[in-house]
Amino acid sequence: MGYRKSSESTEDGGFGAYRELPFCCVVLIGINVIIFLIALLFPQVGVRMMDAGSFGVLHLLYENDFYRLVTAAFLHSDAEHLLSNMLLLYFCGEIVEKSMGKIRTLLLYLGSAVCGNLLSAAYELSTGGFYESIGASGAVFGLTGALLFLVIVKKGAAARISMKRMIFAILLSLYAGFASGYVNNAAHLGGLLSGFLLAFLLGIIPPVWKGGKKSEER
């Protein structure tokens, strides 16, 4: 897999342990947390960030603000909203990243965010109820969908994924949705389905790079 065994980390003063960290997931979590802290510590800046980055189909139709498909996935309403999404991001993303690599994990996160918001936009148009939404839920549900793909296809061979762990991930995903007062279920569903599909599409691409090094699966 290109990752050192835990027993080897003791030979270089513990430095090898850092290589086990899911770099992409840690960076994504860091970005989300930093943005949240900026909005929390500087309320006026936070309001501007929410106004400029939240997603709604009307922004696409009348302002062509397509960037909101991505920026909304890095904004959160409160600490509980942030915590639930970041726990799910790390839990699912760690396994996905160690199985598929950093670049593909990033593509899964961003692609699922975009697809989730697009389904949300379609839902808005179909119901006539327009709203604005924020949060990484669509993106992290995409990682859940990718993890489901790995469990089904690799049958536990990818980073020791077990069905029990998958069930826990799904329950955590459901909790993340139901725990919020206002839930964009369309974005969740869009993220979950697109994550599964993107994992399939990315999985059939020759694994040239994994974790920053050429694949060394044994």
Side-chain angles (χ1 to χ4, degrees), residues 130-146:
F130 302 108
Y131 51 83
E132 294 191 358
S133 61
I134 56 174
S137 298
V140 295
F141 265 79
L143 294 177
T144 304

Side-chain angles (χ1 to χ4, degrees), residues 10 16 28 41 45 89 128 132 145 161 186 211:
T10 58
L28 287 172
L41 297 175
V45 176
L89 194 165
E132 294 191 358
I161 302 172

Side-chain angles (χ1 to χ4, degrees), residues 116-139:
N117 282 325
L118 286 176
L119 186 59
S120 175
Y123 180 77
E124 288 184 58
L125 291 174
S126 65
T127 61
F130 302 108
Y131 51 83
E132 294 191 358
S133 61
I134 56 174
S137 298

Side-chain angles (χ1 to χ4, degrees), residues 3-159:
Y3 291 86
R4 291 191 177 188
K5 295 180 180 179
S6 57
S7 60
E8 295 179 338
S9 62
T10 58
E11 298 177 2
D12 53 8
F15 179 75
Y18 291 97
R19 299 182 184 180
E20 296 294 334
L21 286 174
F23 179 80
C24 180
C25 293
V26 171
V27 170
L28 287 172
I29 290 172
I31 294 173
N32 277 281
V33 171
I34 290 172
I35 291 175
F36 177 78
L37 290 177
I38 291 174
L40 182 66
L41 297 175
F42 305 98
Q44 292 183 346
V45 176
V47 171
R48 292 177 182 176
M49 290 169 61
M50 296 297 176
D51 290 341
S54 60
F55 177 78
V57 67
L58 296 181
H59 292 296
L60 299 185
L61 295 178
Y62 297 108
E63 301 171 13
N64 293 323
D65 289 346
F66 291 97
Y67 70 88
R68 292 175 183 267
L69 291 166
V70 174
T71 56
F74 292 92
L75 299 172
H76 293 84
S77 58
D78 53 47
E80 183 179 1
H81 187 203
L82 175 70
L83 179 61
S84 61
N85 279 335
M86 294 305 99
L87 285 174
L88 186 58
L89 194 165
Y90 188 88
F91 179 82
C92 295
E94 176 194 13
I95 308 172
V96 172
E97 182 171 338
K98 289 183 178 180
S99 299
M100 303 186 70
K102 293 190 287 287
I103 300 300
R104 296 181 187 189
T105 300
L106 179 62
L107 292 175
L108 279 165
Y109 183 92
L110 297 177
S112 298
V114 170
C115 292
N117 282 325
L118 286 176
L119 186 59
S120 175
Y123 180 77
E124 288 184 58
L125 291 174
S126 65
T127 61
F130 302 108
Y131 51 83
E132 294 191 358
S133 61
I134 56 174
S137 298
V140 295
F141 265 79
L143 294 177
T144 304
L147 181 56
L148 176 61
F149 172 81
L150 290 173
V151 170
I152 293 174
V153 173
K154 297 199 173 185
K155 299 178 180 179

